[in-house]
Structures are given as C-alpha cells and as structure tokens.
Amino acid sequence: MRVSTSWVQQQSVGSMMDRQSDLSDLNTQLSTGKRINQPSDDPVGAARALDLSHLTADTAQYQRNITSANARLGLEDQSLSNITNVLGRVRTLLLQAANGSQSDDTRGDIAAEMVQLRQQLLGQANGKDGQGDYIFAGNRTGTEPFASQNGVSYLGDNGQRMVAAGAGLQVATGDPGSAVFVDIPTGNGTFAISANPANTGTAVAGSSSVSNPNASPAAWDGGSYSIVFTAANAYEVRDGGGAVLDSGSYDATDGGSITFRGAQVAFSGAPAVGDTFALGASAKQDVFTTLGNIITTLRTSNGGGAQMQNNINTQFANLDRAIDNITRTRGMVGARMNALDQQSGLNDDLTLQYKSALSDVQDVNYYDAVSQLGAQTTALQAAQQTFTKIQGSKLFDYLR
C-alpha cells in the first residue's frame, strides 16, 4: 500500500479537527450545564427531555390556574358569608315581627330595615372578582346578573366556569346566581302550605315535614291537597277534586299535627268552620321575592292576626330554605378549595419528579465532563505533536 505525504497530512488534520470538535462540545456542555444542547447530541434523550419540559410547563400552568381559582372561590365564599349574615339578620327581624306585641308602626320599622337588607343582598349578588368579572353571572361574567326593575330578574346563565387543576381534573370556580339565589324550593323543600285569605278563625299552620314518605296505604306523591276544618275540632283532607282522603279530630286548645300520606303539618289556634289550608309540592322562588313578600306582609295594615302569622310562617319556611341553600353552596365552595389545595400539593410533587427526571436526561455530569476535557486536551496535543513530527520528516533528511 502506497502512503502519500498528502494522505498522511489529511489524516493528521482530520484527527486534530475531530479532537477540536470534541473539545468544543465539552466546552459547550460545561458552559451551559447541559449534556444535550441540540437534538443531534442525543436524539432519544432530546425527545425525552422535550416531553418532560412540556409536562413541567403544563404543571406550572395548572398551578397558576389553581392560584387564580382559589382567589375567585375565596371571594365567592366571602360573599356567601356576607349574604348569610344578611339573611340571618332578616330572620332575627322576622322573629321579632312575629311577636304579638308588635304594632303596625313597629312592624313598619322592621320592614324599613329589611328594605335596606334586601339592597345589601342585591349588592352582594352582583359582586365582582379581582378581574372585574361578576361572580354569580355563570358564564356571562361581563353582564350584571341581577337587575332590579319591577322585581329582581336574573340576567346571567346557568353555566359554571371551569379551570384545569391537573391532568383530567376540572374544578368549578363559581356558581351561577340561578342556583344560589333563584331556584330555591318553597316550604320545607318537599311541599308548601298556605292559608286561604278568606279564613276567619285563628288557626295557624306551623312547621311541616315529610315524616314518612313511604306511608301506607298511600305515600306522599307530591300532589295538591287541602286541609279543611269542618268544625272547630274536626278536619278533612281532600284532593284536588274535592274527594275526602282522610279526616280526624283537632284540639283547638292544645293544637296538634295533622298527618296524611307521610306529610305532617303542625297547627295552633282555633279554626272556624270552612277554614282551608292548601298543601302542594314545593315550587321555586328566588330569595329576593321571599324578602319582598316578607316586607309586604309586615307593611299590611291592621296586622297581627292569624292571617299575618300564617303569611309570616310561610315566608319563614321559604327564608330557611334560602339560608340552607347558601350554606350548602358554601360547603361546595369549601370542598372545591380543599380539592385545589390537595391538587396543588400533588402538582408540586410532580414538578419535582419531572425536574429530577429532566436533569438526569439532559444535565451534564461535571466530574465526567472535566475528566473527558483533560483526556480530549491530551489527545489533541498528541495529534498536534504527531503531525509536527510527520510534517518535518523527509526522505532527503534520512539519506543524509
């Protein structure tokens, strides 16, 4: 095999260039702290590093979503707390108004305070979050949810804003005003009872409940019925068509409960013959209407009798349903915030795992890199020295 001088030079130069390239790569790794600085350094490792970078970025976004969601839910919880206080004050005032010692004037004073409380409630229902979005407007966050014109109307929708708090985890960041303030069942939540305005006796319907929904022979079916007092000490239960379903005696002195089809209603006072109380399935009534009805009742002139007491008791039950609904909503808000806190902790753990895995894939091992740097430097110097010796060697020098 014939070895030419040019071939030897090319081989030597190529060897030195390879050593210089290796040194350049090591210098880049040491300066950046990364073993993979371009995909060609390690195609498989680069793909894995890209996946881990995406997972880390996604988790960081989840954490930002959780921070934003917690802030919004915190504002909702504060609003609901304020609303609970307002409704609690309304309940206290209603208890005072139900006292037989009240006069039309004092009940009017109570009603005047309730007007202000109703305005406070409306203000809380139209509250905004830190970004200027309405909290209780559903997905229509730019629209004031409750408008006070000829009553209070809901202008939002029934949607809930959701955020991604983790892979596959969506959490609601609010509740629509329709669910919080509007769609509230009347009465005891199952049925409601109301007195006929034409009643002339002093009978008053008190607390009611479904004591036995599976009563035999007929269970509560959500129908419409009436309790008719046929005498001061006797009653009949009739269906919507007037058919008598049940009858019994009533003690006008001690009062008592009337039970049929699992439904139970407590009465007090002395009924007049023909006094009637309607009983039917609960409907939906917004809390603003409930407060409006309370104010109207308290402003009734020549009040204080059985009819006013029946109206107060009816609205009392509706008010308690509204308070229960607010309390239940606050419970759901608290549950969401707890879920977000737990997910935040999980996201922190995942972030550490992703970063550790990413470091293992792409970060340089400084001890190995420095060791390789010394070896590569020695190799380059050896190649340079070898080239110098070969370059200076000539046949004529040998012949001499």
Side-chain angles (χ1 to χ4, degrees), residues 7-88:
W7 182 86
V8 171
Q9 290 178 340
Q10 289 175 2
Q11 288 295 101
S12 297
V13 170
S15 177
M16 286 187 294
M17 294 297 293
D18 289 342
R19 300 292 79 75
Q20 286 178 339
S21 176
D22 292 340
L23 278 173
S24 177
D25 289 343
L26 283 172
N27 280 326
T28 300
Q29 291 178 13
L30 288 169
S31 63
T32 63
K34 298 186 183 298
R35 183 179 63 84
I36 302 174
N37 290 285
Q38 54 187 355
S40 60
D41 293 340
D42 182 354
V44 175
R48 179 59 179 158
L50 185 62
D51 289 341
L52 289 169
S53 296
H54 287 165
L55 289 172
T56 303
D58 290 345
T59 305
Q61 183 60 56
Y62 291 146
Q63 292 295 72
R64 289 192 291 271
N65 291 349
I66 288 173
T67 299
S68 176
N70 267 326
R72 198 168 195 276
L73 288 171
L75 287 173
E76 180 182 2
D77 182 67
Q78 184 59 55
S79 295
L80 293 174
S81 175
N82 295 339
I83 290 166
T84 300
N85 293 335
V86 170
L87 294 181

Side-chain angles (χ1 to χ4, degrees), residues 112-171:
E113 182 175 347
M114 286 191 177
V115 170
Q116 298 304 314
L117 292 171
R118 189 171 182 266
Q119 285 300 115
Q120 289 183 31
L121 179 62
L122 183 62
Q124 291 293 329
N126 283 330
K128 296 181 179 181
D129 62 15
Q131 296 180 341
D133 294 330
Y134 289 99
I135 297 174
F136 298 108
N139 288 322
R140 302 182 65 183
T141 55
T143 301
E144 187 174 67
F146 292 95
S148 181
Q149 293 179 350
N150 299 322
V152 176
S153 301
Y154 180 60
L155 304 180
D157 62 21
N158 299 327
Q160 282 185 299
R161 296 178 67 183
M162 310 291 288
V163 298
L169 177 62
Q170 296 281 328
V171 178

